[in-house]
C-alpha cells in the first residue's frame, strides 16, 4: 500500500488499487478514480471534499461527466444540419434572384427598344412591371420558406433543450434562430411579411422608378 497525505488536518489518505480510502473525519468513504486529468496529479473532482457532505461529492462527479447524445438528440441534430443547409441555399437563391432581376430587365428593355426604333413605348413600362413583379414573387417565396425553416430549427433546438434540462444544460433566453413572433402567424400575415420587408427594398425602388417614368412619359416630359 502506498501512503500519501492530503493537505488537511486529521485526514489520512491511503491509495490502493486506484481507490482512495479515507480515515479520520470522513472515515469509510471510498472513491473509484479514473485516469488523472494531468499525469502526476489529480483533478479537483478526483480528490475527496474537505467536508463529509456526500451530496457535494456527487455534484462534483456529475459535473465532470461529458454530455451524451440520446437517439432523439442525434436525429434532431441531423435534421438541424439539413435545415441549416436548406436555409443557406434559399438565402443564396434570394441574392441571385436580385442579380438576375437587374440583368434581365436591362437585356429585355434593350431588346424591345430595337423593335420600337429606339423610341419610348408603353410596352417598355408594361414589360418592366411584369418582370419586377415576377422576380419579386420569386424572392418573397424564397423568403417565406426561409422563415418557415428557421421556425422548424427553433422547435428542434427547444426539443433538445427540454430533453436535457436535467443534465445540467441551461436554457438560453429568447429564440436562438428566429423570433417566434415572426413564425407564429397566420399564412396571410406571413405572406404579406414576406412581400414587404427590408430584403425587398430593391423591388420597391424599381417600382418607384418605373412609375415615375410612366408619369413623366404620360405628361410629355420625356419622349
Amino acid at each position: 500500500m502506498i501512503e500519501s497525505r492530503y493537505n488537511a488536518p486529521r485526514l489520512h489518505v491511503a491509495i490502493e488499487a486506484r481507490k482512495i480510502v479515507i480515515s479520520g473525519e470522513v472515515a469509510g468513504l471510498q472513491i473509484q478514480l479514473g485516469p488523472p486529468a494531468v499525469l502526476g496529479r489529480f483533478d479537483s473532482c478526483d480528490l475527496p471534499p474537505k467536508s463529509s457532505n456526500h451530496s457535494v461529492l456527487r455534484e462534483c462527479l456529475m459535473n465532470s461527466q461529458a454530455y451524451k447524445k440520446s437517439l432523439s438528440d442525434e436525429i434532431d441534430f441531423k435534421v438541424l444540419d439539413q435545415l441549416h443547409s436548406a436555409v443557406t441555399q434559399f438565402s443564396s437563391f434570394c441574392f441571385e434572384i436580385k442579380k438576375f432581376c437587374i440583368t434581365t430587365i436591362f437585356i429585355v428593355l434593350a431588346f424591345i427598344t430595337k423593335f420600337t426604333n429606339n423610341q419610348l413605348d408603353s410596352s417598355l413600362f408594361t414589360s418592366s412591371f411584369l418582370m419586377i413583379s415576377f422576380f419579386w414573387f420569386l424572392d418573397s417565396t424564397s423568403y417565406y420558406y426561409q422563415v418557415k425553416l428557421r421556425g422548424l430549427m427553433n422547435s428542434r433546438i427547444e426539443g433538445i433543450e427540454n430533453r436535457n434540462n436535467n443534465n445540467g444544460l441551461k436554457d438560453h433566453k429568447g429564440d436562438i434562430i428566429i423570433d417566434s413572433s415572426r413564425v407564429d402567424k397566420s399564412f396571410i400575415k406571413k405572406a404579406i411579411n414576406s412581400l414587404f420587408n427590408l430584403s425587398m427594398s430593391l423591388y420597391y425602388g424599381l417600382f418607384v422608378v418605373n412609375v415615375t417614368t410612366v408619369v413623366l412619359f404620360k405628361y410629355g416630359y420625356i419622349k
Side-chain angles (χ1 to χ4, degrees), residues 14-204:
I15 302 177
E16 180 181 12
R18 301 195 59 77
K19 289 184 179 180
I20 294 180
V21 183
I22 304 169
S23 59
E25 293 181 353
V26 288
L29 179 62
Q30 295 187 2
I31 306 173
Q32 181 72 37
L33 290 180
V38 178
L39 189 61
R41 70 178 178 84
F42 293 109
D43 185 72
S44 59
C45 284
D46 294 329
L47 291 173
K50 294 184 180 181
S51 67
S52 58
N53 190 345
H54 291 192
S55 63
V56 176
L57 176 61
R58 285 195 299 269
E59 181 180 357
C60 185
L61 292 176
M62 287 184 65
N63 290 339
S64 66
Q65 294 178 355
Y67 162 67
K68 296 182 180 179
K69 293 182 182 178
S70 64
L71 178 59
S72 298
D73 290 348
E74 186 67 32
I75 293 174
D76 279 347
F77 279 120
K78 293 294 184 183
V79 173
L80 279 172
D81 288 339
Q82 295 179 5
L83 291 174
H84 178 265
S85 177
V87 169
T88 303
Q89 291 181 7
F90 274 117
S91 178
S92 177
F93 182 63
C94 287
F95 181 73
E96 293 297 327
I97 287 175
K98 292 178 174 64
K99 293 196 300 182
F100 282 131
C101 178
I102 299 297
T103 304
T104 304
I105 288 175
F106 277 105
I107 293 176
V108 172
L109 291 182
F111 183 76
I112 294 177
T113 303
K114 296 299 180 179
F115 291 92
T116 59
N117 296 322
N118 296 324
Q119 298 293 322
L120 288 179
D121 187 83
S122 59
S123 60
L124 294 173
F125 307 116
T126 303
S127 60
S128 296
F129 274 120
L130 292 176
M131 287 185 290
I132 294 171
S133 301
F134 174 73
F135 284 104
W136 189 0
F137 173 76
L138 288 181
D139 204 348
S140 62
T141 301
S142 179
Y143 183 91
Y144 172 84
Y145 282 105
Q146 279 191 71
V147 173
K148 187 173 183 178
L149 292 178
R150 291 177 188 272
L152 293 176
M153 293 175 70
N154 259 354
S155 63
R156 293 287 178 172
I157 292 175
E158 290 175 359
I160 294 173
E161 288 181 338
N162 292 334
R163 286 192 296 270
N164 292 278
N165 278 338
N166 296 328
N167 294 338
L169 298 182
K170 296 182 179 179
D171 292 338
H172 53 78
K173 293 183 178 180
D175 300 305
I176 191 171
I177 301 297
I178 189 173
D179 190 358
S180 58
S181 62
R182 295 175 58 188
V183 180
D184 300 333
K185 294 181 178 180
S186 64
F187 171 78
I188 296 178
K189 290 183 177 180
K190 286 189 290 187
I192 294 175
N193 183 65
S194 65
L195 285 170
F196 301 98
N197 57 79
L198 292 178
S199 178
M200 306 298 159
S201 299
L202 172 66
Y203 309 105
Y204 309 154

